[in-house]
Amino acid sequence: QQQVKQSPQSLIVQKGGISIINCAYENTAFDYFPWYQQFPGKGPALLIAIRPDVSEKKEGRFTISFNKSAKQFSLHIMDSQPGDSATYFCAAGPKETSGSRLTFGEGTQLTVNP
Amino acid sequence: NAGVTQTPKFRILKIGQSMTLQCTQDMNHNYMYWYRQDPGMGLKLIYYSVGAGITDKGEVPNGYNVSRSTTEDFPLRLELAAPSQTSVYFCASYGQGYNSPLHFGNGTRLTVT
């Protein structure tokens, strides 16, 4: 019940295209849904996060869509750029500990071709 | 701003050897974590600490030990290295507060042969 399932495992997109990464969770106690971005040789860094009281959150070219009834959330990267090439992790955390005890998805390696 | 610092960056161990992965943070965060990252497996929590003197097991603690004698430092100890411990290890800290992020170090790549 603690799992977070992420797909696809890898994704290749042309420059200017839309990248979409999906995640599904089981535990209804999860209350915080962040996305982390990781470049080679670096640790993950918070990209964008959402709480289930809203269905969508947008920051620049990055948007999280959240479907509470389906227990699914997704990351959309509009106008994808080669600099977006990285590994993306979705995660989920329970309300009482917010961002501290996160369960991570398996990761998606995104490649944006020029 | 150093953030979370991990040493060493790379290490090769022989089976049965021991080592300590160092982690220090300068943000005065109470919460600290050790994760391991394996290809296609995401980040798995090994151990975590909610403050100096307090540690607890995560999802995959077997073969590891931790201590937390100060707020700044959270070392991870491998006593008898095994090939299954070949991985990239990340230390992270968390400062609480609404939507506060995990701050990760840049990792230690460990190979056990």
Side-chain angles (χ1 to χ4, degrees), chain A residues 29-40:
Chain A
F30 287 150
D31 183 67
Y32 174 65
F33 303 90
W35 286 88
Y36 279 77
Q37 180 187 53
Q38 182 185 31
F39 293 106

Side-chain angles (χ1 to χ4, degrees), chain B:
Chain B
N1 250 7
V4 178
T5 302
Q6 291 184 239
T7 56
K9 286 184 169 48
F10 305 94
R11 183 73 186 267
I12 299 174
L13 281 182
K14 294 189 185 304
I15 294 171
Q17 287 186 321
S18 61
M19 76 164 294
T20 299
L21 282 67
Q22 301 292 345
C23 176
T24 187
Q25 52 95 5
D26 62 358
M27 296 172 283
N28 201 33
H29 287 170
N30 284 325
Y31 290 70
M32 295 187 75
Y33 308 84
W34 276 105
Y35 289 91
R36 60 176 288 171
Q37 182 180 9
D38 301 296
M41 300 294 289
L43 293 153
K44 301 294 185 185
L45 183 64
I46 305 171
Y47 270 96
Y48 68 100
S49 170
V50 300
I54 306 169
T55 63
D56 207 348
K57 296 177 180 178
E59 186 180 357
V60 289
N62 291 344
Y64 307 95
N65 276 302
V66 294
S67 59
R68 184 94 182 271
S69 57
T70 66
T71 299
E72 295 78 20
D73 300 308
F74 190 40
L76 178 71
R77 178 85 178 160
L78 283 71
E79 290 293 349
L80 291 169
S84 61
Q85 293 177 305
T86 294
S87 187
V88 181
Y89 292 85
F90 288 98
C91 179
S93 72
Y94 172 70
Q96 293 185 282
Y98 189 80
N99 284 346
S100 292
L102 281 175
H103 296 265
F104 284 87
N106 285 330
T108 295
R109 182 174 293 274
L110 176 67
T111 301
V112 182
T113 61

